Amino acid sequence: MEFTGQCVLVTGGTRGIGRAVAKAFANEGASVAFTYRSSTDEAEALRHELTACGVQAKAFQSDAADFASAEAVVAGVVDAWGRIDVLINNAGITRDGLILRMGEADWDAVLATNLKSVFNFSKAVYRPMMVRRRGRIINVSSVVGLMGNAGQANYAASKAGIIGFSKSLAKELGRRGITVNVVAPGYVLTDMTEVLHHTVQKAMLAQIPLRRAAKPEEIAGPILFLASSAAEYITGQVLRIDGGLAM
C-alpha cells in the first residue's frame, strides 16, 4: 500500500470529489484529515468510514477562506501526526449567474472559497513540508477554468487562478522537494451537478466524447497517482480529467 505511514489533508472532504479522495487515500493506508464547513453529522460519518479502513482519521470544521482557520487546521494535523505529506486543495462552491445579475457578494464568496483557500492551505503546509524536504500539493481546478462557461464567470476566474497560482508555486517549491500539480475535472456526478436542469445536463453530455459524466472516484484515482512515487518528477502540470471535453 503506497501511502501507508503517510498523512494526507483534504479540504472540503465530506462530499463529492473530496469524499472520494479521502476514502481512496485511506484504502491505500494513509492517515487522513479532512475539513468541512458545516455538516458535523456528515463529517463524523466519513470519519468512521475512514477509520474502518484501519487508519487514523480526523475531521476539522473550518472556513477554508479564512487564513487563521487554515493555519489552525494544519497545526492540528501536525500536532497529532507530526507531518503532512500530501495536501489536496478541494474546497469549492458555486454561485452561478450571468454577469449582469451577479452581485459582488457572489463574486467575492466564490473567489474566497475556491481560490484564496488554496493560498491559505498551501502557505500553511509549506513549513512542515519544507522541514522534511518532501511534499505533494494537488489543487482541484476545473475545465471551466480552461474553457470558460457562460453564467460562471466567478467560478471560471477562481479555477483559472488556481492554475496560475499552482504553476508559480511549483517553481518556488521544487528545490525544496515539493511538487505542485493541478487536476481539472470536467462534468462530475456530485451534489453540485445533480441540481442542474436535465436539459443542461443533456447539453453538457452531448459535448463529451465519452458521452457520460465522471464518477468522483475517477477523479480520485489520478490524484492518487500525482501523490505517488510514480509522479516524483511531475510538477507544475494540469491534468484534465474530462472525458475529452476540453480537447
Side-chain angles (χ1 to χ4, degrees):
M1 294 172 70
E2 169 91 29
F3 297 99
T4 298
Q6 293 196 34
C7 301
V8 178
L9 173 59
V10 183
T11 69
T14 56
R15 297 183 180 185
I17 293 171
R19 186 182 187 88
V21 168
K23 291 172 70 174
F25 274 108
N27 285 328
E28 289 294 326
S31 297
V32 179
F34 63 91
T35 70
Y36 66 99
R37 181 71 179 267
S38 57
S39 180
T40 303
D41 289 343
E42 282 186 354
E44 189 60 15
L46 176 59
R47 192 183 68 79
H48 281 297
E49 277 190 60
L50 300 179
T51 56
C53 297
V55 302
Q56 297 183 71
K58 291 187 175 295
F60 292 87
Q61 189 167 19
S62 170
D63 177 2
D66 182 74
F67 182 73
S69 182
E71 284 192 315
V73 170
V74 169
V77 176
V78 173
D79 286 347
W81 296 335
R83 59 197 282 182
I84 294 178
D85 297 285
V86 182
L87 167 67
I88 312 298
N89 279 309
N90 169 74
I93 62 170
T94 57
R95 296 285 188 273
D96 294 348
L98 296 175
I99 195 69
L100 290 175
R101 300 189 185 96
M102 185 178 293
E104 183 181 6
D106 293 329
W107 175 272
D108 289 347
V110 170
L111 269 291
T113 299
N114 296 7
L115 180 56
K116 184 171 182 287
S117 66
V118 177
F119 164 79
N120 292 343
F121 278 90
S122 297
K123 185 171 176 63
V125 302
Y126 167 66
R127 290 191 183 281
M129 289 183 175
M130 183 181 67
V131 167
R132 302 187 65 250
R133 298 194 69 81
R134 189 182 187 281
R136 299 282 189 272
I137 298 174
I138 302 165
N139 299 323
V140 180
S141 178
S142 168
V143 293
V144 173
L146 298 167
M147 300 169 57
N149 195 34
Q152 289 192 306
N154 50 1
Y155 185 75
S158 70
K159 293 301 186 178
I162 288 172
I163 293 171
F165 174 82
S166 300
K167 287 179 177 289
S168 299
L169 200 62
K171 292 182 177 182
E172 290 185 23
L173 302 188
R175 61 185 175 181
R176 306 289 188 178
I178 301 167
T179 65
V180 185
N181 289 291
V182 179
V183 294
Y187 179 22
V188 185
L189 294 173
T190 66
D191 291 347
M192 273 188 193
T193 57
E194 282 179 359
V195 300
L196 296 173
H197 193 273
H198 72 274
T199 57
V200 176
Q201 295 186 35
K202 186 177 179 180
M204 291 176 68
L205 290 173
Q207 299 177 62
I208 301 171
L210 291 184
R211 290 297 189 270
R212 68 174 180 86
K215 301 170 186 175
E217 293 76 15
E218 292 175 301
I219 311 303
I223 288 175
L224 256 67
F225 163 70
L226 289 172
S228 75
S229 57
E232 263 324 311
Y233 202 60
I234 299 174
T235 195
Q237 300 304 305
V238 181
L239 177 59
R240 295 195 305 271
I241 314 168
D242 62 1
L245 175 62
M247 281 193 291

